[in-house]
């Protein structure tokens, strides 16, 4: 399937952009805390769900790193949110929808998580999946000759 390093790098970057928000969504779904339930021992009573949620949330941020390094050649992530914002700013040259989607996804997710609103807490990562997933799929489908000519 892959004949050279360029195709491998591009496939991994695109796959990371799709899988990172998926892990974020699933991590938020498995979080045992629920809105309106003020149980200080909710995490102690649900160690399995906590473990799954923490693992998925961890891999969500880990998967953003190869995408940022391989697709935009950034030297690394200074911070998770800073990396996401820089990618959106860099991609803004191609259109307004990507930075707007990233900003909206981050704001909705942070507001939903801080307000214990499950719909918004999952809705933000769904918006991030739509934005990053569209870019990831377009990177995977990009013709090889176009990138090498640049």
């Amino acid at each position: 399937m892959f004949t050279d390093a360029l195709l491998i790098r591009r496939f991994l970057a695109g796959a990371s952009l799709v899988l990172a928000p998926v892990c974020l969504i699933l991590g938020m779904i498995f979080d045992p805390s629920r809105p309106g339930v003020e149980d200080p021992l909710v995490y102690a009573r649900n160690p399995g769900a906590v473990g799954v949620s923490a693992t998925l949330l961890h891999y969500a941020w880990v998967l953003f790193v190869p995408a940022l390094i391989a697709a935009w050649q950034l030297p690394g992530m200074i911070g998770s949110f800073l990396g996401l914002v820089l990618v959106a700013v860099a991609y803004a040259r191609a259109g307004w929808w990507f930075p707007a989607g990233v900003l909206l996804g981050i704001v909705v997710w942070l507001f939903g998580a801080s307000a214990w609103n499950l719909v918004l807490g999952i809705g933000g990562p769904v918006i991030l999946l739509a934005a990053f997933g569209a870019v990831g799929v377009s990177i995977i489908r990009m013709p090889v000759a176009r990138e090498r000519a640049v």
Side-chain angles (χ1 to χ4, degrees), residues 9-21 63 67 136-137 139-140:
R9 179 178 57 103
R10 202 165 61 203
F11 177 79
L12 292 176
S16 293
L17 284 172
V18 173
L19 292 175
L63 284 167
V137 169
I139 288 173
I140 292 171

Side-chain angles (χ1 to χ4, degrees), residues 12-100:
L12 292 176
S16 293
L17 284 172
V18 173
L19 292 175
V22 168
C23 286
L24 189 60
I25 292 166
L26 293 174
M28 295 301 291
I29 289 172
F30 277 98
D31 186 340
S33 61
R34 295 290 173 243
V37 178
E38 296 185 20
D39 181 6
L41 299 176
V42 67
Y43 292 111
R45 291 190 179 113
N46 299 291
V50 170
V52 171
S53 175
T55 301
L56 288 167
L57 292 174
H58 167 76
Y59 282 114
W61 295 114
V62 168
L63 284 167
F64 275 121
V65 174
L68 293 173
I69 291 173
W72 292 275
Q73 296 298 318
L74 293 176
M77 281 181 42
I78 296 169
S80 296
F81 291 116
L82 180 59
L84 291 175
V85 171
L86 289 175
V87 168
V89 169
Y91 203 83
R93 295 182 353 200
W96 62 270
W97 67 269
F98 182 74

